[in-house]
Amino acid sequence: QVHLVESGGGLVQAGGSLRLSCAASGRTERNYAMGWFRQAPGKEREFVAFINWSGGRSYYADSVKGRFTISRDNAKNTVYLQMNSLKPEDTAVYYCAADPSGTYAAWDYWGQGTQVTVSS
């Protein structure tokens, strides 16, 4: 089992920045991929960014490419999402997830989510 806890959400003006953190505990010795997803009111949950176990490869949704950066510190069992140039359409609950298979298709573990609100 892997337990994930997100933090760092909040209210920010358009154009501002936030950094989300996701701390993992439990069976963190496995080489799992990590991801960030988000869900806006009335919309389905969507992919934001993935990162592989070593941090050497990352993938982004087109809507955040060039503005968001995913990273991880395996020594601290923590993954980050640096969000710059935030837009009102980035408003959502952000979730981190862990994929023990490393295939980016088996998101077995999820955090409780952290709210990000971007005002115009």
Side-chain angles (χ1 to χ4, degrees):
Q1 291 289 331
V2 177
H3 184 56
L4 304 173
V5 178
E6 302 98 334
S7 61
L11 173 64
V12 63
Q13 288 188 332
S17 298
L18 282 175
R19 189 176 83 154
L20 305 183
S21 299
C22 174
S25 60
R27 294 199 62 180
T28 56
E29 73 279 7
R30 299 182 66 174
N31 296 333
Y32 47 87
M34 295 294 294
W36 285 97
F37 296 78
R38 66 186 182 186
Q39 187 168 20
K43 295 187 177 181
E44 294 187 353
R45 188 176 299 186
E46 64 176 1
F47 146 71
V48 175
F50 299 155
I51 191 166
N52 74 334
W53 69 272
S54 69
R57 277 185 281 183
S58 56
Y59 306 90
Y60 297 91
D62 288 342
S63 59
V64 307
K65 203 171 293 183
R67 299 187 298 122
F68 291 10
T69 303
I70 188 171
S71 62
R72 66 190 296 167
D73 183 339
N74 287 340
K76 296 182 179 179
N77 293 322
T78 301
V79 64
Y80 304 97
L81 186 69
Q82 178 66 44
M83 306 186 294
N84 298 328
S85 302
L86 283 160
K87 304 175 181 180
E89 51 263 44
D90 293 318
T91 295
V93 177
Y94 283 71
Y95 299 89
C96 97
D99 171 9
S101 74
T103 63
Y104 311 114
W107 301 101
D108 292 344
Y109 305 104
W110 292 83
Q112 82 289 348
T114 186
Q115 176 71 47
V116 171
T117 303
V118 184
S119 63
S120 57

